Amino acid sequence: MTTIQTIPVPVIAQVNGLATAAGCQLVASCDIAVASEKSKFATPGVNVGLFCSTPAVALARAVPRKVALEMLFTGEPISAHDALLHGLVSRVVPEENLEAETMKIAHKICQASRTVVALGKATFYKQISRGLEEAYRLTSQVMLQNLMLRDGQEGIEAFTQKRKPVWTNSQE
């Protein structure tokens, strides 16, 4: 689960059914999650005498505390729409559109510089657990690093020249 946040590419969950315990944990751990309207999410371990402690780590970081605790203490599933409302998933679509919507997001991400996306993802997860001032200090430094990347410069040039950028995907 921790690898999802440390790999340089975004990880997108596609859910079409019931995601329980570690499945719910996986959805909560992913960077983006798309669910069909029929999907449900639960941490039912409490009902069989095994509290979902490890799923609770990701769940508590994805939804408000009271929502996470209600899910953990009752084991009752929440609907896809409630999961969207509370931030467990990023989008809910009809089942027949699930794969197309997920692929649409993936294709959109693939149009950006891989280097810039990787830098942005790493920075997002580094700053999220820090205080406000420290987070701004960190992200300001990263913005400068980003501006010095070839793809950062290419993006600005392309914008000013009103053309599509041509990414190098270089670490330089």
Side-chain angles (χ1 to χ4, degrees), residues 15-18 35-41 79-81 92-95:
V15 185
N16 190 26
L18 182 60
S36 71
E37 293 171 323
K38 77 175 196 178
S39 297
K40 292 185 179 188
F41 305 86
S79 69
H81 289 288
V92 174
V93 298
E95 183 178 12

Short mmCIF file of all heavy atoms in Angstrom, two decimals, residues 15-18 35-41 79-81 92-95:
data_model
loop_
_atom_site.label_atom_id
_atom_site.label_comp_id
_atom_site.label_asym_id
_atom_site.label_seq_id
_atom_site.Cartn_x
_atom_site.Cartn_y
_atom_site.Cartn_z
N VAL A 15 -13.34 0.74 -9.69
CA VAL A 15 -14.13 -0.13 -8.81
C VAL A 15 -15.51 -0.36 -9.42
O VAL A 15 -16.22 0.59 -9.73
CB VAL A 15 -14.28 0.50 -7.40
CG1 VAL A 15 -15.00 -0.45 -6.47
CG2 VAL A 15 -12.93 0.91 -6.84
N ASN A 16 -15.87 -1.65 -9.51
CA ASN A 16 -17.17 -2.01 -10.05
C ASN A 16 -17.78 -3.12 -9.20
O ASN A 16 -17.91 -4.25 -9.64
CB ASN A 16 -17.03 -2.46 -11.51
CG ASN A 16 -18.38 -2.59 -12.19
OD1 ASN A 16 -19.33 -1.94 -11.80
ND2 ASN A 16 -18.44 -3.44 -13.20
N GLY A 17 -18.11 -2.79 -7.98
CA GLY A 17 -18.68 -3.79 -7.07
C GLY A 17 -18.36 -3.45 -5.64
O GLY A 17 -18.21 -2.29 -5.27
N LEU A 18 -18.18 -4.48 -4.83
CA LEU A 18 -17.95 -4.31 -3.41
C LEU A 18 -16.45 -4.35 -3.10
O LEU A 18 -15.77 -5.31 -3.45
CB LEU A 18 -18.66 -5.43 -2.63
CG LEU A 18 -18.59 -5.40 -1.12
CD1 LEU A 18 -19.21 -4.11 -0.56
CD2 LEU A 18 -19.29 -6.62 -0.54
N ALA A 35 -15.44 4.93 -9.58
CA ALA A 35 -16.33 3.83 -9.18
C ALA A 35 -17.61 3.87 -9.99
O ALA A 35 -18.10 4.94 -10.36
CB ALA A 35 -16.66 3.94 -7.70
N SER A 36 -18.15 2.69 -10.23
CA SER A 36 -19.48 2.62 -10.85
C SER A 36 -20.51 2.92 -9.77
O SER A 36 -20.24 2.81 -8.58
CB SER A 36 -19.73 1.23 -11.44
OG SER A 36 -19.91 0.27 -10.40
N GLU A 37 -21.70 3.27 -10.23
CA GLU A 37 -22.78 3.61 -9.30
C GLU A 37 -23.16 2.44 -8.40
O GLU A 37 -23.67 2.64 -7.31
CB GLU A 37 -24.00 4.08 -10.08
CG GLU A 37 -23.78 5.39 -10.79
CD GLU A 37 -24.90 5.77 -11.73
OE1 GLU A 37 -25.48 4.86 -12.40
OE2 GLU A 37 -25.21 6.97 -11.82
N LYS A 38 -22.90 1.21 -8.85
CA LYS A 38 -23.27 0.04 -8.04
C LYS A 38 -22.23 -0.32 -6.99
O LYS A 38 -22.45 -1.21 -6.18
CB LYS A 38 -23.56 -1.16 -8.94
CG LYS A 38 -22.35 -1.85 -9.51
CD LYS A 38 -22.75 -3.10 -10.28
CE LYS A 38 -21.58 -4.01 -10.53
NZ LYS A 38 -21.97 -5.23 -11.23
N SER A 39 -21.10 0.36 -6.98
CA SER A 39 -20.02 0.03 -6.04
C SER A 39 -20.38 0.39 -4.60
O SER A 39 -21.15 1.32 -4.35
CB SER A 39 -18.74 0.76 -6.44
OG SER A 39 -18.31 0.34 -7.70
N LYS A 40 -19.79 -0.37 -3.69
CA LYS A 40 -19.94 -0.11 -2.25
C LYS A 40 -18.59 -0.34 -1.60
O LYS A 40 -17.76 -1.08 -2.12
CB LYS A 40 -20.99 -1.02 -1.63
CG LYS A 40 -22.39 -0.72 -2.09
CD LYS A 40 -23.42 -1.56 -1.36
CE LYS A 40 -24.80 -1.19 -1.87
NZ LYS A 40 -25.84 -1.81 -1.09
N PHE A 41 -18.41 0.26 -0.43
CA PHE A 41 -17.13 0.23 0.27
C PHE A 41 -17.38 -0.05 1.74
O PHE A 41 -18.26 0.56 2.34
CB PHE A 41 -16.41 1.57 0.09
CG PHE A 41 -16.25 1.94 -1.36
CD1 PHE A 41 -17.27 2.60 -2.04
CD2 PHE A 41 -15.11 1.59 -2.04
CE1 PHE A 41 -17.14 2.92 -3.39
CE2 PHE A 41 -14.97 1.89 -3.39
CZ PHE A 41 -15.99 2.55 -4.06
N SER A 79 -22.33 3.67 0.06
CA SER A 79 -22.58 3.65 -1.39
C SER A 79 -21.46 4.40 -2.12
O SER A 79 -20.68 5.15 -1.52
CB SER A 79 -23.91 4.33 -1.69
OG SER A 79 -23.80 5.74 -1.42
N ALA A 80 -21.43 4.21 -3.43
CA ALA A 80 -20.46 4.93 -4.25
C ALA A 80 -20.68 6.44 -4.13
O ALA A 80 -19.71 7.21 -4.05
CB ALA A 80 -20.59 4.49 -5.71
N HIS A 81 -21.93 6.87 -4.08
CA HIS A 81 -22.21 8.30 -3.97
C HIS A 81 -21.76 8.86 -2.62
O HIS A 81 -21.24 9.97 -2.55
CB HIS A 81 -23.68 8.59 -4.27
CG HIS A 81 -24.01 8.41 -5.72
ND1 HIS A 81 -23.59 9.28 -6.70
CD2 HIS A 81 -24.68 7.42 -6.36
CE1 HIS A 81 -24.00 8.85 -7.88
NE2 HIS A 81 -24.65 7.71 -7.71
N VAL A 92 -17.90 9.07 -9.71
CA VAL A 92 -18.85 7.96 -9.80
C VAL A 92 -19.55 8.07 -11.14
O VAL A 92 -20.03 9.15 -11.51
CB VAL A 92 -19.89 8.00 -8.65
CG1 VAL A 92 -20.94 6.91 -8.84
CG2 VAL A 92 -19.21 7.85 -7.30
N VAL A 93 -19.57 6.96 -11.86
CA VAL A 93 -20.14 6.95 -13.21
C VAL A 93 -21.04 5.73 -13.38
O VAL A 93 -20.92 4.75 -12.65
CB VAL A 93 -19.02 6.94 -14.28
CG1 VAL A 93 -18.16 8.20 -14.18
CG2 VAL A 93 -18.16 5.71 -14.19
N PRO A 94 -21.91 5.76 -14.37
CA PRO A 94 -22.69 4.56 -14.67
C PRO A 94 -21.75 3.41 -15.03
O PRO A 94 -20.68 3.63 -15.62
CB PRO A 94 -23.54 4.97 -15.87
CG PRO A 94 -23.62 6.47 -15.80
CD PRO A 94 -22.31 6.90 -15.22
N GLU A 95 -22.14 2.21 -14.68
CA GLU A 95 -21.29 1.03 -14.92
C GLU A 95 -20.80 0.94 -16.36
O GLU A 95 -19.64 0.63 -16.61
CB GLU A 95 -22.05 -0.24 -14.53
CG GLU A 95 -21.23 -1.50 -14.67
CD GLU A 95 -21.99 -2.75 -14.24
OE1 GLU A 95 -23.22 -2.69 -14.04
OE2 GLU A 95 -21.32 -3.79 -14.10
#
